[in-house]
Amino acid sequence: MIRLPDRFDVVIIGGGPAGYATALYGAAAGLSIALVEKDKVGGTCLHRGCIPAKEFLETASMYRAVASAPEFGISTGPVSLTFSRSAERKRRVIDQLHGGLQGLLKRRKVVTFSGTGSLGADRTVAVTGPDGTVTRLAGRWVVLASGSVPRSIPGFDFDGRFILSSDDVLGWEKLPASAAVIGGGAIGCEFASMMSDLGTQVTILEALPALLTGCDREVADVVTRSFSKRGITVATGVTVTGHSPKGGVRTTVSFTSPPSPAPPGTPSVSPAPPGDSEEITVEAVVVSVGRRPLSEGLVSADSGVEISEKGYVKVGETMETTAPGVFAVGDLVDTPQLAHVGFAEAIVAVKTMLGESVVPVDYGRVPWCIYTHPEVAFAGLTEDAAVAAGYKVITHKTRFAGNSRAMIVGETDGMVKIVAEAGQGGSAGRVLGVHMVGPWVTEQLGAGYLSVNWEALPAEVAAFIQPHPTLSESFGEAMLALTGRSLHG
Ligand code: NAI
């Protein structure tokens, strides 16, 4: 029988990207690690988020490619979809990654405990197993990484039938014929793009005046225009009010649109007139209005860990909570809810435990990738945010329409937009933001991300050669144009 240490160097609650990254990085530094997970290691990202979503989006991409094959002289016959096969492939990809992760944890001698962890006083963690037995673990350090769950809105409680969360969608074996997507952020737009490409009639209902409001306005416009061209109905500025099932297979969603603009010269009325009431009847309603931290029951009152009103665990820049020796990482803290941000936070936490110097995560400059068609990728300030922050900016856009590889691939929609600080005499100062929309931009952001975080000057970046013909030439062209002279763009 293997005797487990009574006390581990690190006890981690939650085996998603932030938790398992803490375990792997900590173990690589020689720390003894206990990882507590109530479901499967890999968390939302692997089982109910990034990985399954991108698999479905890849199916959409493949479908588009096959449908456009005749353009390349390739005859395919009628293109059809068996979505359950895509779901099966998705499961295989997940299983393979899950197996790989379990093997990695085992090789690093991370001890995993199956159950729900809860932090008490003095960095002790009670683990309640599936059979109700409680195991107590003590850690020199404890890391909270219990993640987040989809948020719902009044009148739209998840029922797994009509009102669906991202978890439900990613478990689909069959696509609905019609769907309303409430919330046009990253998740809503990715799902809308995927469903529409695979034949679902999609309507997006977004409360704010535009889709993808965290993105640069001109980038979001490219996606919105593409959506409209592909038959997705985009309703912005709406308030959804409720839904009522109809005939067992569909439900009617009610919402109000902003009032139609008054004809010019009409005196304004106060209060503003009510919006137009509208309805839409669909087979599925996907609610994608954000995710909330999963912090209920996670810590006892005497743990010393403070939780904000919104449920986030409060941390400083080293990811340490208000309780010394207790850290929190990932979606549980109020930082961008991205797996790669969780990885970075895990490294910061472990280095802090080891007493090493750390570079805190610069949240304003993390990479963002949205896998809609067309894809979006960016890092740093948008033009509007830079102006609002008081910068004098200079921008340049190079469109993929003039890029030879984009023409060869057959995807010329989109651009690379650089936002730089205005330098002396109209020259460009340091790069503040790089914003991309178009073919494979999620794979091209690396250079943009480095430019922003190195605070490079466009002239410095432009001196690096981009291979020809590649999509990445548009990035190089945009930087070159900001030096005052350009080749093609
Ligand atoms: P989000 O915060 O990105 O977008 C939610 C959208 O819903 C916003 O546009 C908001 O205005 C809208 N909304 C809120 N309440 C509404 C209402 N009552 N009616 C209509 N619209 C409403 O959240 P989302 O898309 O659910 O994603 C959650 C998190 O997951 C994000 O923070 C994102 O960081 C992460 N994520 C990132 C992805 C990526 O980078 N590729 C993909 C998926 C998720």
Side-chain angles (χ1 to χ4, degrees):
M1 195 179 107
I2 303 168
R3 186 167 143 62
L4 300 175
D6 299 322
R7 192 180 166 90
F8 291 85
D9 288 327
V10 191
V11 177
I12 304 163
I13 301 179
Y20 77 65
T22 308
L24 293 174
Y25 195 75
L31 301 175
S32 65
I33 312 272
L35 180 61
V36 182
E37 169 56 54
K38 64 180 174 160
D39 190 0
K40 292 180 189 161
V41 289
T44 299
C45 166
L46 178 54
H47 301 284
R48 298 173 299 280
C50 321
I51 303 300
K54 270 79 251 184
E55 208 284 341
F56 282 167
L57 281 152
E58 195 54 34
T59 302
S61 164
M62 184 62 74
Y63 191 93
R64 283 194 312 272
V66 176
S68 65
E71 238 185 83
F72 293 79
I74 301 167
S75 315
T76 55
V79 184
S80 67
L81 169 77
T82 308
F83 190 73
S84 58
R85 293 286 294 277
S86 174
E88 194 184 303
R89 183 175 185 277
K90 173 205 73 180
R91 277 193 296 276
R92 276 203 309 275
V93 171
I94 291 174
D95 287 349
Q96 204 176 338
L97 288 166
H98 185 217
L101 177 60
Q102 285 173 305
L104 205 52
L105 289 166
K106 207 167 160 194
R107 281 198 296 284
R108 301 245 174 122
K109 302 198 169 26
V110 172
V111 184
T112 49
F113 289 84
S114 184
T116 303
S118 166
L119 176 71
D122 301 326
R123 298 190 292 277
T124 54
V125 171
V127 183
T128 309
D131 59 357
T133 54
V134 178
T135 309
R136 287 185 197 282
L137 306 171
R140 188 169 164 206
W141 298 286
V142 170
V143 178
L144 306 173
S146 51
S148 63
V149 287
R151 216 157 63 74
S152 64
I153 44 175
F156 292 88
D157 290 336
F158 298 126
D159 58 15
R161 173 79 188 84
F162 293 117
I163 309 301
L164 308 174
S165 70
S166 52
D167 294 3
D168 299 315
V169 172
L170 295 171
W172 271 348
E173 293 287 322
K174 187 174 170 281
L175 285 170
S178 56
V181 174
I182 302 180
I187 295 184
C189 286
E190 285 188 356
F191 284 166
S193 186
M194 178 273 288
M195 287 191 282
S196 167
D197 284 347
L198 296 177
T200 301
Q201 183 56 52
V202 180
T203 302
I204 304 178
L205 303 171
E206 165 58 50
L208 293 175
L211 300 183
L212 296 173
T213 46
C215 300
D216 191 90
R217 199 163 18 94
E218 291 182 287
V219 163
D221 283 351
V222 171
V223 176
T224 308
R225 274 199 303 273
S226 170
F227 279 8
S228 299
K229 260 197 262 169
R230 282 145 64 202
I232 298 175
T233 305
V234 177
T236 55
V238 304
T239 305
V240 289
T241 47
H243 81 104
S244 52
K246 247 196 168 132
V249 285
R250 303 206 294 167
T251 191
T252 298
V253 179
S254 317
F255 60 99
T256 52
S257 293
S260 321
T266 315
S268 65
V269 283
S270 183
D276 304 324
S277 289
E278 297 189 45
E279 284 183 349
I280 166 182
T281 300
V282 289
E283 286 186 7
V285 181
V286 178
V287 180
S288 47
V289 296
R291 299 180 60 89
R292 66 174 175 81
L294 198 50
S295 56
E296 301 97 345
L298 180 64
V299 298
S300 68
D302 58 358
S303 68
V305 171
E306 276 181 39
I307 293 184
S308 75
E309 254 176 46
K310 288 186 174 168
Y312 293 104
V313 172
K314 294 186 188 175
V315 288
E317 60 178 19
T318 61
M319 311 317 296
E320 196 160 12
T321 66
T322 45
V326 178
F327 294 77
V329 289
D331 285 6
L332 189 60
V333 299
D334 195 2
T335 58
Q337 293 174 320
L338 299 166
H340 47 273
V341 168
F343 294 154
E345 291 174 342
I347 293 171
V348 167
V350 173
K351 283 184 155 219
T352 303
M353 293 170 201
L354 296 169
E356 295 176 3
S357 70
V358 289
V359 179
V361 179
D362 186 348
Y363 293 106
R365 298 198 246 197
V366 300
W368 287 84
C369 290
I370 303 173
Y371 299 75
T372 42
H373 173 62
E375 291 186 348
V376 172
F378 66 96
L381 293 174
T382 63
E383 183 177 355
D384 289 346
V387 170
Y391 288 105
K392 279 184 98 168
V393 301
I394 176 165
T395 67
H396 184 82
K397 285 172 288 205
T398 297
R399 298 195 184 274
F400 282 111
N403 179 297
S404 51
R405 188 80 193 280
M407 280 183 221
I408 293 164
V409 172
E411 298 229 10
T412 50
D413 213 9
M415 64 178 172
V416 176
K417 175 174 175 178
I418 314 287
V419 180
E421 209 172 350
Q424 296 294 318
S427 66
R430 69 190 165 132
V431 178
L432 299 172
V434 172
H435 305 272
M436 301 177 164
V437 55
W440 290 104
V441 294
T442 56
E443 296 294 337
Q444 296 175 60
L445 181 64
Y449 171 74
L450 287 181
S451 313
V452 169
N453 282 273
W454 242 313
E455 302 185 347
L457 300 173
E460 293 166 333
V461 183
F464 293 113
I465 298 170
Q466 304 293 335
H468 176 76
T470 61
L471 296 167
S472 62
E473 283 177 282
S474 296
F475 170 75
E477 287 282 356
M479 287 291 184
L480 187 61
L482 280 171
T483 67
R485 286 185 225 134
S486 68
L487 289 179
H488 313 88

